[in-house]
Amino acid sequence: MLFSSVLAQATPSQPGMLESFLPFILIIAIFWFLILRPQNKKMKAHREMVANVRRSDTVVTAGGLIGKVAKVKEDDNEIEVDLADGVRVRVVKSTLTEVRAKGEPAPTEDKKK
């Protein structure tokens, strides 16, 4: 009698479908809020920064070069950066890490023919 009651208490009940998937759902939710969501915000801010680069902005590249934007080429995602007097390099926009000082926009000239 005693032995059968011990066996009856030792057999676990089967967990339900929700109970077995709940830990995985919680891990995915924590992963999303702690890692993926902040990374997506950071990527969006970087895209906006790169899209808003204008002439005479002071920029820092991923290689650590600091220079002033001389020309923005919209069609091929490149900019020309003046590093020093007479030193101008072409830089891919996505390699910019920081825009330090915002410059004045280029004056627009209306050409009427």
Side-chain angles (χ1 to χ4, degrees):
M1 185 76 175
L2 183 64
F3 185 67
S4 62
S5 65
V6 171
L7 284 178
Q9 291 175 358
T11 57
S13 63
Q14 292 290 332
M17 188 76 134
L18 180 65
E19 292 173 350
S20 59
F21 285 116
L22 189 62
F24 295 115
I25 293 170
L26 290 174
I27 289 171
I28 290 171
I30 290 170
F31 183 76
W32 173 260
F33 282 109
L34 293 179
I35 297 174
L36 293 177
R37 191 167 174 249
Q39 183 66 24
N40 287 339
K41 283 185 177 183
K42 187 176 180 181
M43 286 172 48
K44 182 179 177 183
H46 183 262
R47 279 193 306 266
E48 289 176 4
M49 178 197 67
V50 167
N52 293 327
V53 170
R54 301 287 176 245
R55 190 174 69 120
S56 74
D57 288 349
T58 301
V59 295
V60 179
T61 66
L65 300 174
I66 300 172
K68 189 167 279 208
V69 177
K71 186 176 183 182
V72 178
K73 298 179 182 180
E74 296 294 333
D75 55 340
D76 55 355
N77 292 326
E78 290 182 357
I79 59 174
E80 288 186 10
V81 178
D82 285 333
L83 298 177
D85 292 334
V87 179
R88 186 175 281 189
V89 295
R90 290 183 351 187
V91 177
V92 177
K93 279 184 175 182
S94 62
T95 62
L96 297 179
T97 57
E98 184 180 355
V99 177
R100 287 196 173 173
K102 285 293 203 178
E104 296 296 321
T108 58
E109 297 178 15
D110 293 332
K111 295 181 181 178
K112 294 182 181 179
K113 293 182 181 181

